[in-house]
Amino acid sequence: MSRHSQDNRAQDSQEQPLMEQNRQRLFGGSQIRYQHESSALGCTMLFSVYLPPGACKEQTVPAVYFLSGLTCNDQNFSTKSGAQRVAAELGVALIIPDTSPRGEHVADDEGYDLGQGAGFYVNATEAPWQSNFQMYDYITRELPALVEAHLPVNERRAISGHSMGGHGALMIAARNPERYQSVSAFSPIVHPSACPWGEKAFTAYLGTDKDVWSEYDSVELIKENGWHLPLLVDQGEDDEFLKEQLLTRDLIAVVQDCADVRIRFQSGYDHSYYFIATFIAEHLRFHARHLRAE
């Protein structure tokens, strides 16, 4: 898709109303779930936001975008991570999108690792997925334009994610380093072209040309273009998906000479939200330092 088309979709999103679904007071701020009509995805979408105390039209705040993993939606991170307490302290918003387009008219698959709940943050080119599965455009253009047009959130962004969402965060930042101040990930799928989850999703969404796959593969992108942002990755040593699906060592190999990169293996931790909850405060403080830096 051309940059012109992406910008048109972003402009369309600014003109779409946000419909508030629910709101809770939380650590002096607000946890809110919004609904909107997505022009990028051609369906109704939900996303969650945490606004810290003091966020208002006169005092906008930076944001951490958190991308979730397979089978998740916008509420898993909202309800399980405990991130809001630290976000309130730091004065940082949390923007938590869904993991795919949704709806009866949206293509799906019987497997948990393809279709609704498994968008892989790519722009699909293959039938029947291409009509709705344009998650790359949604995350990089439409959603930030919508958020920054309607909420007290400014253009200073960080991006993070877990598992499939960790893949999304790394890949999107590798392709758009000018849009983010920092990146972090929990248990990311770092080399999707070389693991079963990625091979299945990329074949379905993008076809069989592996040159196209490389446009959405963090390891391949970094090999080609280098890495240019502060990065923090945590990976549990007891993660059952580490050896076959996540391939963390492949990421280490391509960023070992890059500045301000930390990849940590955490003894005894698995792939769950207990792992995320343990280290989310460190990740948010990492992002806050870079979001505040001029």
Side-chain angles (χ1 to χ4, degrees), residues 43-60:
C43 66
T44 301
M45 290 295 287
L46 292 163
F47 69 96
S48 293
V49 173
Y50 179 70
L51 294 176
C56 61
K57 184 177 180 180
E58 293 74 27
Q59 185 176 330
T60 61

Side-chain angles (χ1 to χ4, degrees), residues 19 32 46 72 113 120 166 168 183 189 197 206 229 233-234 245 269 278:
M19 299 178 61
I32 315 163
L46 292 163
C72 293
D113 51 358
F120 267 83
V183 189
I189 303 169
W197 278 339
L206 304 173
L229 288 167
V233 174
D234 275 314
Q245 303 282 12
Y269 287 93
T278 301

Side-chain angles (χ1 to χ4, degrees), residues 27-238:
F27 300 119
S30 297
Q31 182 71 39
I32 315 163
R33 198 180 198 201
Y34 290 107
Q35 177 180 297
H36 74 104
E37 298 303 317
S38 170
S39 58
L41 304 179
C43 66
T44 301
M45 290 295 287
L46 292 163
F47 69 96
S48 293
V49 173
Y50 179 70
L51 294 176
C56 61
K57 184 177 180 180
E58 293 74 27
Q59 185 176 330
T60 61
V61 295
V64 176
Y65 287 74
F66 191 89
L67 309 184
S68 297
L70 290 167
T71 76
C72 293
N73 60 24
D74 61 296
Q75 293 192 300
N76 296 78
F77 182 78
S78 302
T79 58
K80 295 180 179 181
S81 70
Q84 295 92 337
R85 182 190 297 273
V86 181
E89 173 195 330
L90 298 171
V92 171
L94 303 174
I95 312 299
I96 310 153
D98 203 346
T99 54
S100 77
R102 305 273 184 176
E104 292 183 1
H105 70 288
V106 176
D108 202 5
D109 186 84
E110 292 182 356
Y112 73 94
D113 51 358
L114 187 68
Q116 295 186 38
F120 267 83
Y121 304 102
V122 304
N123 282 347
T125 58
E126 302 298 302
W129 312 103
Q130 79 273 31
S131 297
N132 302 103
F133 281 72
Q134 303 294 312
M135 285 296 292
Y136 177 83
D137 280 356
Y138 180 70
I139 298 298
T140 61
R141 302 290 173 183
E142 185 178 27
L143 183 61
L146 183 72
V147 165
E148 291 159 18
H150 294 284
L151 300 177
V153 172
N154 60 45
E155 295 182 357
R156 293 189 69 80
R157 313 176 194 97
I159 191 165
S160 183
H162 172 233
S163 195
M164 179 186 72
H167 142 72
L170 291 168
M171 175 271 292
I172 285 169
R175 290 181 57 161
N176 303 273
E178 75 285 354
R179 294 184 63 82
Y180 302 98
Q181 306 301 313
S182 54
V183 189
S184 76
F186 298 87
S187 311
I189 303 169
V190 304
H191 200 179
S193 297
C195 76
W197 278 339
E199 290 172 352
K200 177 179 179 178
F202 282 11
T203 300
Y205 296 143
L206 304 173
T208 57
D209 185 348
K210 292 195 175 184
D211 287 339
V212 176
W213 294 12
S214 67
E215 298 175 12
Y216 295 101
D217 186 305
S218 299
V219 166
E220 300 303 324
L221 287 165
I222 296 167
K223 284 181 184 177
E224 182 71 21
N225 303 310
W227 181 260
H228 307 287
L229 288 167
L231 173 65
L232 173 62
V233 174
D234 275 314
Q235 173 61 58
E237 289 185 348
D238 286 4

